[in-house]
Amino acid sequence: MHPVAVLFSIFALIMMVFGGLVYSGNTELIRSLKYTKVKNVREYAKFLGKSIVLVAVVILAGSLISAIVKAVISLVLTVIVIVIVFVIISGASKKYY
């Protein structure tokens, strides 16, 4: 397994735990700035938690594909997909402001 794939996998697992904590209601993990701008903090936390887990799943999938195929190109494609997901998430999160 490529060392970068291992790092990506570890990072993805940490993100999954963090996303799960935010989704389950630990809103104190979100910056306090969000509390002043977000209308419904509970719903925003659920949305943000799901989004974090989604990004983590994409990273983990890319890492596993990289391990199976043994090609670094899958990690590059993973980063591209992550950027696209972040753009989608930032656009969708505007409904909570």
Side-chain angles (χ1 to χ4, degrees):
M1 188 174 216
H2 197 276
V4 176
V6 173
L7 289 175
F8 269 43
S9 298
I10 293 169
F11 180 67
L13 293 174
I14 292 169
M15 283 183 64
M16 283 183 179
V17 170
F18 179 75
L21 288 172
V22 171
Y23 180 80
S24 68
N26 288 329
T27 56
E28 62 272 358
L29 297 173
I30 304 172
R31 288 189 358 220
S32 62
L33 174 65
K34 298 293 183 190
Y35 292 122
T36 59
K37 292 185 176 184
V38 173
K39 297 172 189 164
N40 187 343
V41 176
R42 201 68 140 152
E43 289 298 315
Y44 181 72
K46 284 187 174 186
F47 170 76
L48 191 61
K50 286 181 196 175
S51 303
I52 292 170
V53 171
L54 174 66
V55 171
V57 167
V58 170
I59 293 171
L60 191 59
S63 298
L64 294 176
I65 291 169
S66 174
I68 294 169
V69 178
K70 296 189 183 348
V72 179
I73 190 68
S74 64
L75 295 176
V76 173
L77 293 174
T78 300
V79 171
I80 292 170
V81 170
I82 290 169
V83 169
I84 293 169
V85 169
F86 274 127
V87 168
I88 293 169
I89 290 170
S90 68
S93 69
K94 289 183 181 177
K95 75 177 187 177
Y96 294 101
Y97 289 112

